[in-house]
Short mmCIF file of all heavy atoms in Angstrom, two decimals:
data_model
loop_
_atom_site.label_atom_id
_atom_site.label_comp_id
_atom_site.label_asym_id
_atom_site.label_seq_id
_atom_site.Cartn_x
_atom_site.Cartn_y
_atom_site.Cartn_z
N ILE M 950 18.96 -13.94 33.27
CA ILE M 950 18.38 -13.85 34.61
C ILE M 950 16.89 -14.14 34.53
O ILE M 950 16.19 -13.59 33.69
CB ILE M 950 18.59 -12.43 35.19
CG1 ILE M 950 20.08 -12.19 35.44
CG2 ILE M 950 17.80 -12.23 36.48
CD1 ILE M 950 20.41 -10.75 35.77
N PHE M 951 16.43 -15.02 35.41
CA PHE M 951 14.98 -15.17 35.61
C PHE M 951 14.67 -14.68 37.01
O PHE M 951 15.11 -15.25 38.01
CB PHE M 951 14.52 -16.62 35.45
CG PHE M 951 13.04 -16.78 35.68
CD1 PHE M 951 12.13 -16.23 34.78
CD2 PHE M 951 12.55 -17.41 36.81
CE1 PHE M 951 10.75 -16.32 34.99
CE2 PHE M 951 11.17 -17.52 37.03
CZ PHE M 951 10.28 -16.97 36.12
N ALA M 952 13.92 -13.57 37.08
CA ALA M 952 13.72 -12.87 38.35
C ALA M 952 12.37 -13.17 39.00
O ALA M 952 12.08 -12.65 40.07
CB ALA M 952 13.88 -11.37 38.15
N GLY M 953 11.55 -13.99 38.36
CA GLY M 953 10.21 -14.26 38.88
C GLY M 953 10.25 -15.06 40.18
O GLY M 953 11.01 -16.03 40.29
N LEU M 954 9.44 -14.64 41.13
CA LEU M 954 9.35 -15.38 42.40
C LEU M 954 8.26 -16.44 42.25
O LEU M 954 7.21 -16.40 42.88
CB LEU M 954 9.05 -14.41 43.54
CG LEU M 954 10.14 -13.35 43.77
CD1 LEU M 954 9.73 -12.43 44.90
CD2 LEU M 954 11.48 -14.00 44.05
N GLN M 955 8.50 -17.39 41.38
CA GLN M 955 7.55 -18.43 41.03
C GLN M 955 8.37 -19.63 40.60
O GLN M 955 9.60 -19.54 40.46
CB GLN M 955 6.65 -17.95 39.88
CG GLN M 955 7.42 -17.67 38.60
CD GLN M 955 6.63 -16.90 37.54
OE1 GLN M 955 6.89 -15.75 37.30
NE2 GLN M 955 5.67 -17.55 36.90
N ASP M 956 7.74 -20.77 40.40
CA ASP M 956 8.47 -21.93 39.89
C ASP M 956 9.08 -21.58 38.54
O ASP M 956 8.42 -20.96 37.69
CB ASP M 956 7.53 -23.13 39.75
CG ASP M 956 7.09 -23.67 41.10
OD1 ASP M 956 7.79 -23.39 42.10
OD2 ASP M 956 6.04 -24.34 41.16
N LEU M 957 10.31 -21.99 38.35
CA LEU M 957 11.00 -21.71 37.08
C LEU M 957 10.30 -22.48 35.96
O LEU M 957 10.25 -23.71 35.99
CB LEU M 957 12.46 -22.15 37.20
CG LEU M 957 13.34 -21.98 35.97
CD1 LEU M 957 13.47 -20.51 35.59
CD2 LEU M 957 14.71 -22.60 36.22
N PRO M 958 9.71 -21.77 34.97
CA PRO M 958 9.01 -22.49 33.89
C PRO M 958 9.95 -23.42 33.13
O PRO M 958 11.12 -23.09 32.88
CB PRO M 958 8.50 -21.36 32.99
CG PRO M 958 8.41 -20.16 33.89
CD PRO M 958 9.58 -20.31 34.83
N LEU M 959 9.41 -24.56 32.74
CA LEU M 959 10.20 -25.56 32.01
C LEU M 959 10.72 -24.98 30.69
O LEU M 959 11.84 -25.28 30.28
CB LEU M 959 9.33 -26.80 31.75
CG LEU M 959 10.03 -27.99 31.08
CD1 LEU M 959 11.17 -28.50 31.94
CD2 LEU M 959 9.02 -29.11 30.80
N ALA M 960 9.90 -24.15 30.04
CA ALA M 960 10.30 -23.57 28.75
C ALA M 960 11.58 -22.74 28.88
O ALA M 960 12.41 -22.72 27.96
CB ALA M 960 9.17 -22.71 28.19
N ILE M 961 11.76 -22.09 30.01
CA ILE M 961 12.97 -21.27 30.22
C ILE M 961 14.17 -22.16 30.49
O ILE M 961 15.26 -21.96 29.93
CB ILE M 961 12.72 -20.25 31.35
CG1 ILE M 961 11.76 -19.17 30.83
CG2 ILE M 961 14.03 -19.62 31.83
CD1 ILE M 961 11.31 -18.17 31.85
N GLN M 962 13.97 -23.19 31.31
CA GLN M 962 15.06 -24.15 31.56
C GLN M 962 15.50 -24.82 30.26
O GLN M 962 16.70 -24.95 29.98
CB GLN M 962 14.59 -25.23 32.54
CG GLN M 962 14.26 -24.74 33.92
CD GLN M 962 13.77 -25.89 34.80
OE1 GLN M 962 14.49 -26.86 35.03
NE2 GLN M 962 12.53 -25.80 35.27
N THR M 963 14.52 -25.22 29.46
CA THR M 963 14.80 -25.95 28.21
C THR M 963 15.58 -25.08 27.23
O THR M 963 16.58 -25.51 26.65
CB THR M 963 13.48 -26.42 27.55
OG1 THR M 963 12.78 -27.22 28.50
CG2 THR M 963 13.73 -27.21 26.28
N LYS M 964 15.13 -23.83 27.06
CA LYS M 964 15.80 -22.92 26.11
C LYS M 964 17.22 -22.62 26.58
O LYS M 964 18.16 -22.60 25.77
CB LYS M 964 14.99 -21.62 25.99
CG LYS M 964 15.58 -20.60 25.02
CD LYS M 964 15.50 -21.06 23.58
CE LYS M 964 15.95 -19.97 22.64
NZ LYS M 964 15.89 -20.38 21.24
N ALA M 965 17.41 -22.39 27.87
CA ALA M 965 18.74 -22.11 28.40
C ALA M 965 19.69 -23.28 28.13
O ALA M 965 20.84 -23.09 27.73
CB ALA M 965 18.67 -21.81 29.90
N ALA M 966 19.18 -24.50 28.30
CA ALA M 966 20.00 -25.69 28.04
C ALA M 966 20.32 -25.81 26.55
O ALA M 966 21.45 -26.13 26.16
CB ALA M 966 19.27 -26.94 28.53
N GLN M 967 19.33 -25.52 25.71
CA GLN M 967 19.50 -25.63 24.24
C GLN M 967 20.62 -24.71 23.74
O GLN M 967 21.41 -25.09 22.88
CB GLN M 967 18.20 -25.27 23.52
CG GLN M 967 17.19 -26.39 23.46
CD GLN M 967 15.86 -25.91 22.87
OE1 GLN M 967 15.68 -24.74 22.57
NE2 GLN M 967 14.92 -26.85 22.70
N VAL M 968 20.64 -23.48 24.26
CA VAL M 968 21.61 -22.49 23.75
C VAL M 968 22.83 -22.36 24.65
O VAL M 968 23.70 -21.52 24.42
CB VAL M 968 20.95 -21.11 23.53
CG1 VAL M 968 19.81 -21.20 22.54
CG2 VAL M 968 20.49 -20.50 24.85
N ASN M 969 22.88 -23.22 25.68
CA ASN M 969 24.01 -23.20 26.62
C ASN M 969 24.19 -21.82 27.26
O ASN M 969 25.29 -21.29 27.36
CB ASN M 969 25.30 -23.63 25.91
CG ASN M 969 26.37 -24.03 26.91
OD1 ASN M 969 26.05 -24.44 28.03
ND2 ASN M 969 27.63 -23.90 26.52
N ALA M 970 23.05 -21.22 27.66
CA ALA M 970 23.10 -19.92 28.35
C ALA M 970 23.25 -20.17 29.85
O ALA M 970 22.78 -21.18 30.38
CB ALA M 970 21.81 -19.14 28.08
N ASP M 971 23.93 -19.26 30.53
CA ASP M 971 24.10 -19.36 31.99
C ASP M 971 22.87 -18.76 32.66
O ASP M 971 22.67 -17.55 32.62
CB ASP M 971 25.36 -18.61 32.43
CG ASP M 971 26.62 -19.24 31.85
OD1 ASP M 971 26.68 -20.48 31.80
OD2 ASP M 971 27.53 -18.49 31.45
N LEU M 972 22.06 -19.61 33.29
CA LEU M 972 20.80 -19.16 33.87
C LEU M 972 20.97 -18.84 35.36
O LEU M 972 21.45 -19.67 36.13
CB LEU M 972 19.74 -20.26 33.69
CG LEU M 972 18.31 -19.95 34.11
CD1 LEU M 972 17.76 -18.75 33.37
CD2 LEU M 972 17.42 -21.17 33.88
N TYR M 973 20.59 -17.61 35.73
CA TYR M 973 20.66 -17.15 37.11
C TYR M 973 19.23 -16.86 37.59
O TYR M 973 18.52 -16.06 36.97
CB TYR M 973 21.51 -15.88 37.22
CG TYR M 973 22.95 -16.10 36.83
CD1 TYR M 973 23.34 -16.03 35.49
CD2 TYR M 973 23.92 -16.38 37.79
CE1 TYR M 973 24.66 -16.25 35.12
CE2 TYR M 973 25.25 -16.60 37.42
CZ TYR M 973 25.61 -16.53 36.09
OH TYR M 973 26.92 -16.75 35.73
N VAL M 974 18.85 -17.51 38.68
CA VAL M 974 17.47 -17.41 39.16
C VAL M 974 17.44 -16.67 40.49
O VAL M 974 18.25 -16.94 41.39
CB VAL M 974 16.86 -18.82 39.32
CG1 VAL M 974 15.43 -18.75 39.85
CG2 VAL M 974 16.89 -19.56 37.97
N ALA M 975 16.49 -15.73 40.61
CA ALA M 975 16.34 -14.94 41.84
C ALA M 975 16.08 -15.86 43.03
O ALA M 975 15.30 -16.81 42.94
CB ALA M 975 15.19 -13.95 41.69
N GLN M 976 16.72 -15.54 44.13
CA GLN M 976 16.60 -16.26 45.40
C GLN M 976 17.04 -17.73 45.29
O GLN M 976 16.74 -18.54 46.13
CB GLN M 976 15.17 -16.17 45.97
CG GLN M 976 14.60 -14.76 46.10
CD GLN M 976 15.37 -13.84 47.05
OE1 GLN M 976 16.60 -13.86 47.10
NE2 GLN M 976 14.65 -12.99 47.80
N ARG M 977 17.83 -18.00 44.23
CA ARG M 977 18.51 -19.30 44.11
C ARG M 977 20.00 -19.08 43.82
O ARG M 977 20.86 -19.63 44.47
CB ARG M 977 17.89 -20.14 42.98
CG ARG M 977 18.48 -21.55 42.87
CD ARG M 977 18.08 -22.24 41.56
NE ARG M 977 18.92 -21.82 40.43
CZ ARG M 977 18.79 -22.31 39.19
NH1 ARG M 977 17.82 -23.19 38.93
NH2 ARG M 977 19.59 -21.89 38.22
N ASP M 978 20.26 -18.20 42.81
CA ASP M 978 21.64 -17.90 42.43
C ASP M 978 22.08 -16.51 42.85
O ASP M 978 23.27 -16.21 42.89
CB ASP M 978 21.80 -18.04 40.91
CG ASP M 978 21.40 -19.42 40.44
OD1 ASP M 978 22.00 -20.40 40.92
OD2 ASP M 978 20.46 -19.53 39.62
N TYR M 979 21.12 -15.64 43.11
CA TYR M 979 21.41 -14.36 43.76
C TYR M 979 20.26 -14.07 44.71
O TYR M 979 19.14 -14.54 44.50
CB TYR M 979 21.62 -13.23 42.73
CG TYR M 979 20.38 -12.79 41.99
CD1 TYR M 979 19.61 -11.73 42.44
CD2 TYR M 979 19.97 -13.45 40.82
CE1 TYR M 979 18.46 -11.32 41.76
CE2 TYR M 979 18.83 -13.05 40.13
CZ TYR M 979 18.09 -11.99 40.61
OH TYR M 979 16.95 -11.60 39.94
N PHE M 980 20.56 -13.31 45.75
CA PHE M 980 19.59 -13.14 46.84
C PHE M 980 19.47 -11.66 47.20
O PHE M 980 20.44 -10.91 47.12
CB PHE M 980 20.05 -13.93 48.08
CG PHE M 980 20.25 -15.39 47.82
CD1 PHE M 980 21.47 -15.86 47.34
CD2 PHE M 980 19.22 -16.29 48.00
CE1 PHE M 980 21.66 -17.22 47.07
CE2 PHE M 980 19.39 -17.64 47.73
CZ PHE M 980 20.62 -18.11 47.26
N TYR M 981 18.28 -11.28 47.60
CA TYR M 981 18.07 -9.91 48.08
C TYR M 981 17.08 -9.92 49.22
O TYR M 981 16.19 -10.76 49.28
CB TYR M 981 17.59 -8.99 46.94
CG TYR M 981 16.29 -9.40 46.32
CD1 TYR M 981 15.07 -8.92 46.79
CD2 TYR M 981 16.27 -10.30 45.24
CE1 TYR M 981 13.88 -9.30 46.21
CE2 TYR M 981 15.07 -10.69 44.66
CZ TYR M 981 13.88 -10.19 45.15
OH TYR M 981 12.70 -10.57 44.59
N GLN M 982 17.27 -8.96 50.12
CA GLN M 982 16.39 -8.89 51.28
C GLN M 982 16.37 -7.46 51.81
O GLN M 982 17.43 -6.83 51.96
CB GLN M 982 16.88 -9.84 52.38
CG GLN M 982 15.92 -9.94 53.56
CD GLN M 982 16.38 -11.01 54.53
OE1 GLN M 982 17.56 -11.34 54.62
NE2 GLN M 982 15.44 -11.57 55.28
N ASP M 983 15.19 -6.96 52.09
CA ASP M 983 15.04 -5.66 52.74
C ASP M 983 15.69 -5.74 54.12
O ASP M 983 15.45 -6.68 54.87
CB ASP M 983 13.55 -5.34 52.87
CG ASP M 983 13.28 -3.90 53.28
OD1 ASP M 983 14.06 -3.36 54.10
OD2 ASP M 983 12.30 -3.32 52.79
N ALA M 984 16.53 -4.75 54.44
CA ALA M 984 17.23 -4.77 55.73
C ALA M 984 16.30 -4.47 56.90
O ALA M 984 16.65 -4.68 58.05
CB ALA M 984 18.39 -3.78 55.71
N GLY M 985 15.09 -3.95 56.58
CA GLY M 985 14.11 -3.69 57.63
C GLY M 985 14.33 -2.40 58.40
O GLY M 985 13.66 -2.13 59.39
N ASP M 986 15.29 -1.58 57.93
CA ASP M 986 15.58 -0.32 58.62
C ASP M 986 14.94 0.88 57.92
O ASP M 986 15.14 2.03 58.31
CB ASP M 986 17.09 -0.10 58.75
CG ASP M 986 17.81 -0.14 57.41
OD1 ASP M 986 17.12 -0.07 56.36
OD2 ASP M 986 19.04 -0.27 57.38
N GLY M 987 14.18 0.60 56.84
CA GLY M 987 13.50 1.69 56.14
C GLY M 987 14.32 2.40 55.09
O GLY M 987 13.81 3.23 54.36
N TYR M 988 15.62 2.06 55.00
CA TYR M 988 16.43 2.77 53.98
C TYR M 988 17.47 1.91 53.27
O TYR M 988 18.17 2.40 52.39
CB TYR M 988 17.11 4.00 54.58
CG TYR M 988 18.02 3.71 55.76
CD1 TYR M 988 19.34 3.34 55.56
CD2 TYR M 988 17.55 3.81 57.06
CE1 TYR M 988 20.17 3.06 56.63
CE2 TYR M 988 18.37 3.54 58.15
CZ TYR M 988 19.68 3.16 57.92
OH TYR M 988 20.50 2.87 58.99
N SER M 989 17.61 0.62 53.60
CA SER M 989 18.62 -0.18 52.90
C SER M 989 18.16 -1.61 52.67
O SER M 989 17.17 -2.07 53.25
CB SER M 989 19.94 -0.17 53.68
OG SER M 989 19.80 -0.87 54.90
N TRP M 990 18.91 -2.30 51.81
CA TRP M 990 18.64 -3.71 51.52
C TRP M 990 19.96 -4.40 51.23
O TRP M 990 20.98 -3.75 50.97
CB TRP M 990 17.66 -3.88 50.36
CG TRP M 990 18.15 -3.35 49.04
CD1 TRP M 990 18.25 -2.04 48.67
CD2 TRP M 990 18.62 -4.11 47.92
NE1 TRP M 990 18.73 -1.93 47.39
CE2 TRP M 990 18.97 -3.19 46.91
CE3 TRP M 990 18.77 -5.47 47.66
CZ2 TRP M 990 19.47 -3.59 45.66
CZ3 TRP M 990 19.26 -5.87 46.42
CH2 TRP M 990 19.60 -4.93 45.44
N ASN M 991 19.95 -5.73 51.26
CA ASN M 991 21.18 -6.50 51.07
C ASN M 991 21.07 -7.35 49.80
O ASN M 991 20.03 -7.97 49.55
CB ASN M 991 21.42 -7.41 52.28
CG ASN M 991 21.55 -6.60 53.55
OD1 ASN M 991 22.31 -5.64 53.62
ND2 ASN M 991 20.78 -6.97 54.57
N PHE M 992 22.17 -7.36 49.05
CA PHE M 992 22.27 -8.18 47.84
C PHE M 992 23.41 -9.16 48.04
O PHE M 992 24.48 -8.79 48.53
CB PHE M 992 22.56 -7.30 46.62
CG PHE M 992 22.72 -8.08 45.34
CD1 PHE M 992 21.65 -8.29 44.50
CD2 PHE M 992 23.96 -8.60 44.98
CE1 PHE M 992 21.79 -9.03 43.32
CE2 PHE M 992 24.12 -9.33 43.80
CZ PHE M 992 23.03 -9.55 42.97
N ALA M 993 23.20 -10.41 47.65
CA ALA M 993 24.27 -11.40 47.74
C ALA M 993 24.23 -12.34 46.55
O ALA M 993 23.16 -12.77 46.12
CB ALA M 993 24.14 -12.21 49.04
#
Side-chain angles (χ1 to χ4, degrees):
I950 293 169
F951 179 68
L954 298 179
Q955 63 193 108
D956 290 339
L957 178 63
L959 184 61
I961 288 174
Q962 295 178 61
T963 303
K964 181 68 174 180
Q967 278 174 356
V968 300
N969 198 26
D971 296 321
L972 186 58
Y973 296 85
V974 179
Q976 307 298 39
R977 185 193 81 179
D978 302 302
Y979 70 93
F980 303 87
Y981 60 91
Q982 187 173 26
D983 191 323
D986 56 14
Y988 58 85
S989 68
W990 63 285
N991 301 310
F992 178 93

